[in-house]
Amino acid sequence: MAEINGLHGLRPTPAMAAQLCTPPYDVIKEGSSLEKLLSENPSSFFHVTLGPSPAAALADLQQRGVLIPDAEPCFYVYEQKWEDGERLGFFAAVEVSSYSEGQIIRHEKTFDEKVKGRIAVTRATGYTLEPIFLLTKSPIVATLEKVRAEEKPLYAFSSDFGGYNDLHGIATRVFRVPEASDSGRALREAVSQNPLYIADGHHRYHAALLGGQTHAMAYIVQDARILAYNRVIRGAIPFSRARESLKLEPTLQFATPPQHQFCVYSKDGAFLLKAGEVPEDVVGRLDCSILERELYQKLGVDHSMIMKKEHFDYYPEWDLPTMKALVDSGEYDVAVALHPVSIAELMAVADAGLKNPAIVMPEKSTFFAPKILSGLILYKHSLK
């Protein structure tokens, strides 16, 4: 159902891959230590994805031999290893089609306004710079395992981002697989059996769709790790007042809670808030939906506030200490830790959305970890 092709375009030399590659543009916060670290490296891909002159930065990297052309259509098997786990997937060019065709299935609402900047960068450079993260139900693991067991890696390095990002210290290996090879044909055949689900990067796919691309660069996996996407909140009503109407149980620490419970931290300590009635519908039963119904209203928060930094900010579950510090400093009033969404829950919402496009997951429902390095391949896409 989903057609994929090999990628061609630009890629870093093996000697410069570690220097070039960066975290995705949307996790590099303005003014952060990570931004400073990347901006000070003249060979960083940061200058292309977030710099003031993307086309000039790309030309400079080519002129200095950091990026080299590769015209042969290839898939790239991408292995990531960290202290307690690993993930194995591959990069490909996926056919861009409208959501109604059911080949690429989304679970989030997309906004035309949010993709304008990405379309501008893509048009300025002529390349797709970062991949969409896709999930498949097709059996691809055996082929990926065969490639990494039999082939020599094109890249092998560990990322150094000063400890400022979850990709810091992760070991990367990449294997180049020509589209016309036996393994390349096996991957194409397997993926074509099923639609693909967008895990992360909805607005990147939307940019490819609105930008008129025939194909978009994608990273495809059979399984993935989803972390909770926690939040710090400053509502219109102080938590000290709202807590009187909440059934809270004191707990010893601010930590990730079980499903359908929420761990709430304020200056008064940590508490557990248990969900009331859990509905059957695929969106209403999600913890982030329950939280909106059971806590946000008590804090005087409406939906228009949840993407405004003066009221909300969002952190993955390893960053609970930062969330506590923001509450202790008074910058935010309360912090809330949630249970992670499962792959099954995500796909259930996505499948329901095929029949009714209004069915989507709430904003900031999932955090896929680790992220995918940017800069391993730049795709020379075509336009319709």
Side-chain angles (χ1 to χ4, degrees):
M1 293 179 68
E3 180 208 324
I4 60 168
N5 294 331
L7 295 162
H8 62 279
L10 299 171
R11 59 178 176 83
T13 62
M16 291 301 296
Q19 282 288 311
L20 176 84
C21 291
T22 68
Y25 82 93
D26 52 354
V27 300
I28 303 171
K29 293 189 176 183
E30 187 176 356
S32 66
S33 298
L34 176 62
E35 182 189 55
K36 184 175 186 296
L37 177 75
L38 298 174
S39 66
E40 291 174 349
N41 172 11
S43 297
S44 173
F45 198 52
F46 167 86
H47 301 290
V48 181
T49 58
L50 288 172
S53 303
L58 182 59
D60 174 66
L61 291 170
Q62 290 178 263
Q63 185 177 13
R64 292 194 288 116
V66 177
L67 286 170
I68 57 175
D70 192 338
E72 183 180 13
C74 292
F75 301 118
Y76 292 85
V77 175
Y78 179 27
E79 172 197 88
Q80 293 171 289
K81 287 190 174 183
W82 55 96
E83 185 176 356
D84 57 351
E86 71 169 31
R87 188 171 66 202
L88 188 64
F90 74 103
F91 293 105
V94 63
E95 183 182 17
V96 174
S97 59
S98 67
Y99 305 115
S100 61
E101 293 182 30
Q103 295 180 27
I104 306 295
I105 306 176
R106 61 179 174 177
H107 67 264
E108 285 183 8
K109 187 184 296 183
T110 49
F111 302 91
D112 293 0
E113 191 67 29
K114 288 186 69 173
V115 304
K116 287 183 177 178
R118 291 302 97 190
I119 292 175
V121 171
T122 300
R123 287 177 175 168
T125 60
Y127 289 86
T128 297
L129 303 179
E130 295 181 308
I132 305 138
F133 191 154
L134 299 174
L135 295 167
T136 181
K137 292 181 178 179
S138 296
I140 61 172
V141 171
T143 301
L144 301 180
E145 293 278 13
K146 180 176 183 293
V147 168
R148 74 170 173 178
E150 297 178 357
E151 303 296 331
K152 182 180 178 180
L154 175 66
Y155 306 126
F157 62 88
S158 293
S159 299
D160 183 0
F161 299 125
Y164 300 130
N165 181 266
D166 69 316
L167 284 164
H168 174 77
I170 287 183
T172 288
R173 290 201 301 169
V174 176
F175 303 82
R176 185 175 178 271
V177 180
E179 179 187 284
S181 67
D182 290 345
S183 293
R185 288 194 296 269
L187 289 172
R188 287 193 72 182
E189 173 60 28
V191 170
S192 69
Q193 297 172 19
N194 292 289
L196 293 162
Y197 293 81
I198 301 178
D200 204 4
H202 282 76
H203 284 93
R204 291 185 198 125
Y205 184 78
H206 203 56
L209 185 62
L210 294 185
Q213 294 179 211
T214 62
H215 292 75
M217 181 162 60
Y219 168 69
I220 303 172
V221 295
Q222 206 174 317
D223 194 14
R225 181 176 67 153
I226 305 178
L227 301 183
Y229 216 174
N230 302 316
R231 53 224 53 197
V232 286
I233 307 168
R234 176 172 291 284
I237 299 171
F239 178 72
S240 57
R241 280 173 49 197
R243 63 176 291 188
E244 298 172 5
S245 60
L246 296 168
K247 295 180 180 179
L248 299 169
E249 298 178 7
T251 187
L252 294 177
Q253 60 180 343
F254 182 52
T256 301
Q259 189 177 31
H260 303 327
Q261 295 185 35
F262 310 96
C263 195
V264 180
Y265 178 79
S266 75
K267 287 185 177 180
D268 296 326
F271 306 88
L272 280 178
L273 172 64
K274 295 183 179 179
E277 183 179 351
V278 178
E280 290 299 320
D281 72 278
V282 292
V283 175
R285 67 178 289 104
L286 296 173
D287 281 355
C288 42
S289 297
I290 296 170
L291 181 68
E292 190 165 344
R293 293 194 301 271
E294 298 197 3
L295 179 62
Y296 289 5
Q297 294 176 9
K298 303 283 197 313
L299 297 175
V301 170
D302 62 43
H303 196 76
S304 68
M305 296 179 180
I306 65 175
M307 298 302 291
K308 295 179 179 178
K309 201 169 188 304
E310 61 267 32
H311 294 291
F312 278 82
D313 204 359
Y314 299 86
Y315 293 86
E317 58 189 84
W318 70 74
D319 228 356
L320 296 178
T322 299
M323 296 171 66
K324 287 182 67 176
L326 288 169
V327 172
D328 290 339
S329 70
E331 187 170 345
Y332 289 91
D333 188 36
V334 65
V336 184
L338 293 80
H339 190 79
V341 171
S342 70
I343 294 290
E345 287 176 317
L346 182 152
M347 288 186 171
V349 174
D351 287 338
L354 284 175
K355 298 177 181 177
N356 181 358
I359 297 177
V360 292
M361 295 182 78
E363 291 91 337
K364 302 293 186 180
S365 298
T366 57
F367 190 95
F368 284 85
K371 296 295 184 182
I372 306 160
L373 282 174
S374 296
L376 289 169
I377 180 74
L378 285 67
Y379 173 47
K380 187 64 175 177
H381 59 258
S382 299
L383 300 178
K384 295 178 181 178

